[in-house]
Amino acid sequence: MKKVEVAKNVFWVGVVDWNVRNFHGHTYTTKRGSTYNAYIIIDKKIALVDTVLGSFSDELIEKIKDFVDPAKIDYIIANHVETDHSGALPEIMRHAKNAKVVGTAKCKEGLYRHYYEDWDFQVVKTGDSISLGEKTLKFIEAPMIHWPDSMFTYIPEDKLLLPNDAFGQHIATTERFDDEVDQCALMDEATKYYANILIPYSPIILKKIDEVVKSGLEIKTIAPSHGIIWRKDPMKIVNAYIRWAKGLPLKKNILIVYETMWGATEKMAKALLEGVRSVGCEAKLYNISTSDRTEIIKEIFDAKGLLVGSSTHDNNILPNIAGFLDFVKGLKIKNRIGASFGSFGWSGESVKIIENILRESGIEVVQPPISAKYIPSSDDIKSCFEFGKNFAAKI
Ligand code: FEO
């Protein structure tokens, strides 16, 4: 098998998961698959940085055997507890009987609560390091990027950062490096990854990047635990993270997301879109029932405005838009304005419910909302058009 050398004597031993289509339960769709990256470092001491999803344990062990007998591993660096990176750890530990697991205090606790094994564990914190011989492993705690246990490992001799989930992308490819793949697909997946996983932790991410910059850490390569390794232009993804983490909309677009029972709310959505377009504002429209939420969330970076609609059903909003709003609420997105719309038969609670959720999500709500009884009349459609136009003017 072709060996993938990330730096001198640092090799990729990860696996490509071509067929995964849902991640984190069903909270994230992975239409391009993913990879679980692990790295073996061959020095006087042998270190493995991260493992892979448990179902790929055998493949990881076979890949390690291309470089070294797994029994000879001295250290297994556990940058993160989540099972897509630690799932193979129990199997590796059966082979690497003398290995010490290295991670943060939260990692030690988290791994125990996953596997209930009393492995030899070395707790490390920011500033700690381990010498492997010619190379040094330095550790940087990165709590809540994106779990409390998260940690980055840095090899100063190679200027190589191994930040686990940070700077990753869910993309399955035959190639491993940023200079070998389609840039549009790469950045599309990196954007989606940040939007769906990391937005809530943006203030922490900005602080961490600032801390790393101020510490004078030189970075030549960033090798995350998912997707492509950034060796040609690692600052491309760092700068993108700074842009995304600042929370400012990158464009002045409007995102219209709705759910409709019999098409009435959809008619309103399309009239709103026409109104928005009439003043030259760019917009995207999604029926949440037939769209991929993971893809819609990615659009939030370009959207300054969010128009959310639902028919009223059982004095409530429809279930798919409720799920979408619940997800938006968790993002704690800033600097956005929103409004609600929807059709109703007799009670009409949907618009108020949506408004409340938007407000709870930190979105400034433009009032009053717009609603229509049963099927929107031509006057209702005109009102929606005007509503869209006025909303766009506020953007
Ligand atoms: Fe890729 Fe947080 O696991």
Side-chain angles (χ1 to χ4, degrees), residues 23-24 80 82 84-85 146 165 193 226:
F23 214 80
H24 284 160
H80 183 26
E82 201 164 4
D84 50 328
H85 308 293
H146 67 129
D165 277 331
Y193 186 97
H226 293 293

Side-chain angles (χ1 to χ4, degrees), residues 281-323:
C281 190
E282 196 179 321
K284 286 194 176 163
L285 178 142
Y286 292 97
N287 178 343
I288 190 68
S289 305
T290 53
S291 305
D292 180 341
R293 189 192 60 212
T294 306
E295 296 287 336
I296 302 176
I297 293 292
K298 182 184 67 183
E299 303 291 344
I300 212 92
F301 285 127
D302 288 340
K304 169 81 180 160
L306 183 59
L307 288 167
V308 183
S310 174
S311 329
T312 293
H313 177 255
D314 288 345
N315 309 107
N316 208 338
I317 56 176
L318 290 167
N320 291 313
I321 200 74

